[in-house]
Amino acid sequence: MTQTSPGPQQVDEASTREVDAVVVGAGLSGLYMLHKLRGLGLSVQVYERDAGVGGTWFANRYPGARVDVKSMDYAYSFDAELEQEWEWTEKYPAQEELLRYIEHVADRFDLRPHIRLRTRVTEAVFDEGAGRWRVGTDRGDRVSAQYLIMATGCLSASRLPEVPGLEGFRGDWYHTAQWPEEGVDFTGKRVAVIGTASSGVQVIPLIAERAAQLTVFQRTPNFVIPANNHPLDPDDQRSVKARYAEVRKANRESGFGVAFPEATKGAMEVPDQERHDYYRKVWYDKDNSLVSLLSGYNDLILSKDSNDTIAQFVRDRIAEVVEDPEVAEQLQPWDHPLGAKRPCLGTNYYETFNRPNVSLVNVRKTPLTEITPAGIRTSEKEFAFDAVVFATGFDAMTGPLLAVDIRGRDGARLTERWAEGPRTYLGLAVAGFPNLFTITGPGSPSVLSNMMVSIEQHVEWVGDAIAAMRAQGKRTIEATADAEDFWTRHVDEVAQATLYPTADSWYMGSNVPGKPQVFMPYPAGVGLYRQTCDEVAAAGYNGFELAE
Ligand code: NAP
C-alpha cells in the first residue's frame, strides 16, 4: 500500500517565539502574502505541511496535471520584472513548469528563510488578553502572532470515498492530490481510476497509454471541453507582455478574472445556426478557454433553456467521438447545467474510451461496495487491480480551514461557528476571530475565478488593511456580526439567482457526506467584488471594528 502524504518528521525542540504574522500555507497565496508582509516590515513565519513550496502545484503532480487558465493570465502580476522575465512554454503549462515558476518566485524574493516545511499548523487560539494568536504545529512549534493568515487554499484537503477495505488492499493506491514525488510507473499494470472530474479527466488518458488495462469508475459524467493546448508562440507572448498592464487591468475588472468581451445577448435571442456556429468555433479554436465558452451569451449560467443549448452541443460532440454508442451515452452528462459544476478541460479524454484497454464502469448503476485485497467490488462483481487511483476530490473551501482547530473570542471554535455552513464578511474575515484573514475564503469569488487574480486581490487588501492599522496605531481588526450576517445572506441571494445551486457539486459541499449544503463561493464576479472590497477599505473599513 502506498501512502504518499509527507508525514511529520522528527519532533523538533519546542519553541515559543513572537512574530508579527503567521501565514499558513506556502502556495501561491502564502508566498505572495509573505512577500507583501515582509515589504511592510513585519516578521513572518510561514508553515507549510508539504515538503516544498507550491501548494496545489506541489501536491497535484499526477500525470497530466496542468492549469486550466492560460499561463499569461495565471502568472503573478505584482512585480513587473518578474512578469516580463518569466517565459511560459505553453498555453496551459504542466505541473512541473508551474512548480518551477513558484520555486523561482520563492528564490527571487528570498522567501525560503521564513518558511518551515513539513510542518502542519494544528491549532490557533486567540488570546484575548494579549490580543494575539497562539499557534501550534504538529512539530511542536509554539508561536505567538498578532495576525493569522490562512493561505491554505480552497482545494487542499483531499478526500477518499467512504468505501470500506482500503487498508487491506494488496496493490498500490494513490490520490491525485498526494502524488509521490518520484512518480509512478503504470506500465503493464491493471489500473483503476475512481473519479471523472477535473483530476480524473486529466490523468485517465495518460494512464491509459501506459497501463495494460484501465478501468474507469464513473459516478457522474462531466462536461469535458477540449483544452486545445499548444506551445506558446514567442511573438504572441511578447505582444501580451508589451501590453501586460492593460491585460491585467481588464482581468481584474472582469467576471471570471480573465477578460472577455461582455456578451450582450442571451443564447435564445440568436438564431439556432448562429449559436451552433459560435459553440463550434470555440470548441475547435486553438485559443479557446472555459471563459470563452461560458461568456459567449450572457445567460448561460442563469437560464436553464439557454444552458441546455450548450449542454446539448457538448453531448453531441461526445456521441461523435466515442465509437461505442453505449459508452458514449454513459459519458453524456444530463444531471447538471454546464458550468454549475466546474467544467473540465481535457486532452484526448473522450477519445481514450475508444482504446481497447480502457473500460468504463457506471457506479451510479452498480455502486462501489468494497475495496478488496485484490481490487474493487461493485454491487455487480469484483475487479482485480494492481493499482487504484483516487481522483475523488476534496473537502473544498472550508475543509482546509476547519482542519486547524481555530478558536476565537471566548474560546469559540470555527468548526462550531460554521456548523451550518461558512459565515464570513467578504470571504476575508470572521466575526469573533480578530486579526484572522482567510485568503480566497468562502464568500469570495475564489474558485469561480482565475485564482491568481483573486489571490492577488486578497493579499493586497489584507496587506493594505494591516498597513492602515499600523499607521493608525490599531491592534485588532474584526468583522462585526452584522456585517457578517449581511454578507452571508448576500452571497446566498446572489447564488440563488443563478443555476449554480441546482447542481450537486463541491461548490455546494454535496461531495462530502454530512457537510452543510451551502453555495460557498461568491458568484458576482471579481470586478464587482473588488469594487466592494475597495469601498469597504476607503470608508475606513466599514463593517469592521478596529481597536487599539
Ligand atoms: P472533484 O471535482 O470533486 O471530482 C471528484 C470525482 O470523484 C467525481 O467524479 C466524483 O463523482 C468522484 N467520486 C467521489 N467520491 C466517489 C465515490 N464514493 N464513488 C465514486 N465516485 C466518487 O475533484 P477533482 O477532479 O480533483 O477536482 C476538484 C477541483 O480541483 C476542480 O473542480 C478544479 O477546480 C480543480 N482542478 C483543476 C484542475 C485544472 O486546473 N486543470 C485539475 C484538477 C483539479 P461525483 O461527481 O458523482 O461526486
Side-chain angles (χ1 to χ4, degrees), residues 122-330:
T122 49
E123 63 166 20
V125 180
F126 187 67
D127 175 342
E128 290 189 53
R132 297 176 72 82
W133 285 93
R134 302 211 177 279
V135 177
T137 75
D138 65 349
R139 289 177 60 172
D141 304 61
R142 293 286 173 268
V143 184
S144 151
Q146 186 180 1
Y147 300 102
L148 173 64
I149 296 147
M150 300 299 287
T152 36
C154 297
L155 295 159
S156 53
S158 59
R159 54 178 307 279
L160 293 168
E162 300 67 39
V163 182
L166 184 56
E167 62 294 342
F169 178 54
R170 284 198 301 266
D172 295 325
W173 66 268
Y174 310 92
H175 191 291
T176 45
Q178 294 181 335
W179 205 260
E181 274 187 68
E182 63 280 12
V184 182
D185 184 5
F186 291 111
T187 310
K189 303 242 167 89
R190 297 160 305 168
V191 183
V193 173
I194 304 178
T196 53
S198 303
S199 303
V201 161
Q202 289 187 328
V203 81
I204 284 166
L206 291 172
I207 295 182
E209 286 175 12
R210 296 269 166 197
Q213 282 169 30
L214 170 63
T215 309
V216 175
F217 291 84
Q218 171 190 271
R219 189 165 61 185
T220 313
N222 273 297
F223 293 98
V224 183
I225 317 303
N228 299 345
N229 192 28
H230 56 79
L232 272 191
D233 177 336
D235 286 342
D236 289 348
Q237 183 153 193
R238 256 192 304 280
S239 124
V240 173
K241 285 184 175 175
R243 51 191 172 83
Y244 230 155
E246 187 192 317
V247 169
R248 303 299 205 167
K249 181 168 182 293
N251 285 352
R252 290 183 194 118
E253 291 170 359
S254 70
F256 293 114
V258 178
F260 196 79
E262 209 167 301
T264 50
K265 288 188 178 158
M268 308 307 281
E269 290 176 55
V270 301
D272 292 356
Q273 190 59 46
E274 180 182 329
R275 193 173 55 233
H276 185 81
D277 290 347
Y278 177 76
Y279 295 152
R280 233 189 144 74
K281 185 167 141 277
V282 174
W283 191 263
Y284 295 108
D285 175 14
K286 84 176 182 28
D287 291 321
N288 70 352
S289 64
L290 286 179
V291 172
S292 63
L293 194 73
L294 285 169
S295 304
Y297 299 102
N298 62 18
D299 60 351
L300 289 175
I301 201 65
L302 302 174
S303 149
K304 176 78 170 58
D305 287 347
S306 294
N307 195 282
D308 282 344
T309 63
I310 191 162
Q312 190 53 44
F313 175 84
V314 178
R315 287 190 289 263
D316 290 345
R317 301 288 75 71
I318 298 170
E320 236 169 43
V321 171
V322 180
E323 287 156 10
D324 180 333
E326 269 180 41
V327 177
E329 200 185 326
Q330 311 267 3

Side-chain angles (χ1 to χ4, degrees), residues 494-517:
V494 175
Q496 293 308 329
T498 70
L499 295 173
Y500 287 116
T502 64
D504 286 339
S505 68
W506 58 256
Y507 297 149
M508 289 289 294
S510 324
N511 62 327
V512 179
K515 188 165 172 170
Q517 301 286 289

